[in-house]
Amino acid sequence: MRIDRAAVYDLLAEYGALIDMMKFDEWLGLFAEECRYQIVPRENFDRGLPAGLVFCDSRAMLEDRIRALREANKYNIHTDRHIIGLPRICDNGRRIDAPFTVFQTDQEGETRLFATGLYRDRLEAAGGRLKIRDKLILLDTFAVPSLLATPL
Amino acid sequence: MRIDRAAVYDLLAEYGALIDMMKFDEWLGLFAEECRYQIVPRENFDRGLPAGLVFCDSRAMLEDRIRALREANKYNIHTDRHIIGLPRICDNGRRIDAPFTVFQTDQEGETRLFATGLYRDRLEAAGGRLKIRDKLILLDTFAVPSLLATPL
Amino acid sequence: MRIDRAAVYDLLAEYGALIDMMKFDEWLGLFAEECRYQIVPRENFDRGLPAGLVFCDSRAMLEDRIRALREANKYNIHTDRHIIGLPRICDNGRRIDAPFTVFQTDQEGETRLFATGLYRDRLEAAGGRLKIRDKLILLDTFAVPSLLATPL
């Protein structure tokens, strides 16, 4: 697969923006029909431990997860802001690594660092568009600072 | 308007860099002759409330604002650092959305998160260069953590 | 030198990623044979004061420094996450300015803002690849929040 750099950058920008705007249906549309979405603490990943915080291996499962998150979100009202750094295009474009941070703002208006980590994405071209086939989110901490109420 | 992606990226990078270097005259030069600059808490914007923290609808007004900020800045000495994430090119290039964070460092050398939000820019090509015609800054919080002494 | 924008973006992304993965030998490989690496508080730089926190003017010296850091790192175990913002290509591509933040996560799993600043790089094309000839790291604070145990 010949990598289209602009399309990769756009996909990452859209990924963060759609979560931040709480457009979760459009966000789901960024994933391929057959996809995987995982959140794994980096420490576990480095040690080869399989235990993740979230594991979805189909889009249906990811949809369920999002529905549950939305429910949880009612008790943890906040907004997100994703800042995604310049991505690294690895393995001839078969893998994209992009560092990210997420800030959350609560109802009192306080903004806090919520999470930092690395997106490790495998993409596929489907119908003239890039889609996420496999998203591995390596979270820098095993101690998620508060209820995980929106996708990372 | 056919979007020149490189020019958009450069404009955003320059925007943040010029504020961080306190080169406010050059920063003003990034705006079109007829321009608008607004800072609105995201919550107000989402509810359709017009109240913003800053509203300038001409470059002269923006210049005045900057002069006032510089005066205020004498009592709140700090330096800024903008980190602007990958932009989303919307609406066939007529709108650019870019997430940002600003960190501030005070005279004691302490660096703190100052603000997070989204730039929503409408650009125009003028004299072979892209200029900002309309900049809407959607701030994630209504509670600006301290005196707004430099432009966002 | 005609700037290859994609190569600049890739080099910056790789720079941060290799530190975050603690691949310091590969990281050293991003520098030209003859190179300089400096960390200078922005305040000193603005006042023309030469005093820096780190000064290496050869790759051998940088290697030594990294070895020492790794030793120090045993007593300050943490992981890094670099977020590098959109770079500004200055001076017809002879200079690259890129804002950065580094977050650190300690063994208790707490993630904190560690540093913000600006990379000011001079690059050279060597063997078909871009290499760093001179890296000046302008740190926003003179008060480095804790032991500098990994390169910035």
Side-chain angles (χ1 to χ4, degrees):
Chain A
M1 170 167 126
R2 175 84 171 73
I3 203 70
D4 177 349
R5 176 179 299 267
V8 169
Y9 284 25
D10 286 350
L11 178 61
L12 284 168
E14 213 173 344
Y15 181 94
L18 290 174
I19 299 175
D20 294 350
M21 292 190 293
M22 288 175 284
K23 294 188 173 178
F24 297 118
D25 291 327
E26 286 182 50
W27 175 80
L28 278 166
L30 301 180
F31 289 85
E33 278 305 317
E34 292 191 31
C35 65
R36 200 163 61 165
Y37 173 94
Q38 285 176 273
I39 305 178
V40 181
R42 168 189 182 149
E43 206 183 355
N44 291 19
F45 183 81
D46 288 345
R47 292 179 181 181
L49 298 173
L53 295 164
V54 173
F55 180 84
C56 300
D57 67 355
S58 71
R59 202 155 83 179
M61 203 170 160
L62 191 51
E63 275 187 59
D64 274 356
R65 182 82 200 185
I66 292 301
R67 214 170 299 134
L69 288 179
R70 279 169 156 175
E71 192 56 36
N73 211 355
K74 289 181 189 160
Y75 307 100
N76 175 21
I77 294 177
H78 72 271
T79 56
D80 287 325
R81 184 63 61 199
H82 283 69
I83 307 284
I84 302 176
L86 291 173
R88 200 176 163 215
I89 297 171
C90 305
D91 202 10
N92 281 322
R94 274 185 289 270
R95 204 182 85 203
I96 309 297
D97 278 6
F100 69 90
T101 67
V102 181
F103 297 92
Q104 288 193 343
T105 303
D106 64 22
Q107 288 197 287
E108 278 69 46
E110 199 174 337
T111 303
R112 287 187 197 82
L113 174 65
F114 178 68
T116 65
L118 186 76
Y119 292 141
R120 178 160 289 174
D121 294 352
R122 291 177 191 277
L123 308 177
E124 67 179 37
R129 288 201 48 187
L130 278 184
K131 299 268 183 177
I132 304 165
R133 189 162 50 80
D134 190 346
K135 187 160 196 104
L136 171 64
I137 301 177
L138 293 171
L139 206 56
D140 284 335
T141 182
F142 51 86
V144 181
S146 72
L147 186 63
L148 194 67
T150 33
L152 284 175
Chain B
M1 168 167 128
R2 176 84 170 72
I3 203 70
D4 177 350
R5 177 178 296 269
V8 169
Y9 284 25
D10 286 350
L11 179 61
L12 284 168
E14 213 173 343
Y15 182 93
L18 290 175
I19 299 175
D20 294 350
M21 292 190 293
M22 289 175 283
K23 293 188 173 178
F24 297 118
D25 290 327
E26 287 182 50
W27 175 80
L28 278 166
L30 301 180
F31 288 85
E33 278 305 317
E34 293 191 30
C35 65
R36 201 164 59 165
Y37 173 95
Q38 285 175 273
I39 305 179
V40 180
R42 169 190 181 147
E43 206 184 354
N44 291 18
F45 183 81
D46 288 346
R47 291 179 183 183
L49 298 173
L53 295 164
V54 173
F55 180 84
C56 298
D57 67 355
S58 71
R59 203 154 83 179
M61 203 171 160
L62 192 51
E63 276 186 58
D64 274 356
R65 183 80 201 187
I66 292 300
R67 213 170 299 135
L69 288 180
R70 278 169 156 175
E71 193 55 36
N73 211 356
K74 289 182 190 161
Y75 308 100
N76 175 21
I77 295 177
H78 71 271
T79 56
D80 286 326
R81 184 64 60 200
H82 283 69
I83 307 283
I84 301 175
L86 291 173
R88 200 175 163 216
I89 297 171
C90 305
D91 204 9
N92 282 321
R94 274 184 289 270
R95 204 184 85 204
I96 310 297
D97 278 7
F100 70 89
T101 67
V102 181
F103 297 92
Q104 288 194 343
T105 303
D106 65 21
Q107 287 197 287
E108 278 69 46
E110 199 174 336
T111 303
R112 287 188 197 82
L113 175 66
F114 179 69
T116 65
L118 186 75
Y119 293 142
R120 179 160 289 173
D121 294 352
R122 289 176 193 277
L123 308 178
E124 67 178 37
R129 286 202 50 187
L130 278 184
K131 299 268 183 178
I132 304 165
R133 189 161 51 79
D134 190 346
K135 187 161 197 104
L136 171 63
I137 301 177
L138 293 170
L139 206 56
D140 284 336
T141 182
F142 51 85
V144 181
S146 73
L147 185 63
L148 195 66
T150 33
L152 283 176
Chain C
M1 171 167 126
R2 176 82 171 73
I3 204 71
D4 178 350
R5 176 179 298 268
V8 169
Y9 284 25
D10 286 350
L11 178 61
L12 284 168
E14 213 173 345
Y15 181 93
L18 290 175
I19 299 175
D20 294 349
M21 292 190 293
M22 289 176 283
K23 293 188 174 178
F24 297 118
D25 291 327
E26 288 183 48
W27 176 79
L28 278 166
L30 301 180
F31 288 86
E33 278 305 319
E34 294 191 29
C35 65
R36 201 163 62 163
Y37 173 94
Q38 285 175 273
I39 305 178
V40 181
R42 168 189 181 149
E43 206 183 354
N44 290 19
F45 183 81
D46 288 346
R47 292 178 182 183
L49 299 173
L53 294 164
V54 173
F55 180 83
C56 300
D57 67 354
S58 71
R59 202 155 82 178
M61 203 171 160
L62 191 51
E63 277 187 57
D64 274 356
R65 183 82 201 186
I66 292 300
R67 213 171 299 134
L69 288 180
R70 279 170 156 174
E71 192 57 35
N73 211 354
K74 289 181 189 160
Y75 307 99
N76 176 19
I77 294 177
H78 71 272
T79 56
D80 286 325
R81 184 64 60 200
H82 283 68
I83 306 284
I84 302 175
L86 291 173
R88 201 175 162 216
I89 297 170
C90 305
D91 203 10
N92 281 322
R94 275 184 289 270
R95 203 183 86 203
I96 309 298
D97 278 6
F100 69 90
T101 67
V102 181
F103 297 92
Q104 288 193 343
T105 302
D106 65 21
Q107 287 197 287
E108 278 69 47
E110 199 174 336
T111 303
R112 286 186 198 82
L113 175 65
F114 179 68
T116 64
L118 187 76
Y119 293 142
R120 179 159 288 173
D121 295 351
R122 289 177 191 277
L123 307 178
E124 67 179 36
R129 287 200 49 186
L130 279 185
K131 298 267 184 180
I132 305 165
R133 188 161 51 79
D134 190 346
K135 187 160 196 106
L136 171 63
I137 301 177
L138 293 171
L139 207 56
D140 285 335
T141 182
F142 51 85
V144 181
S146 72
L147 185 63
L148 194 66
T150 34
L152 283 176

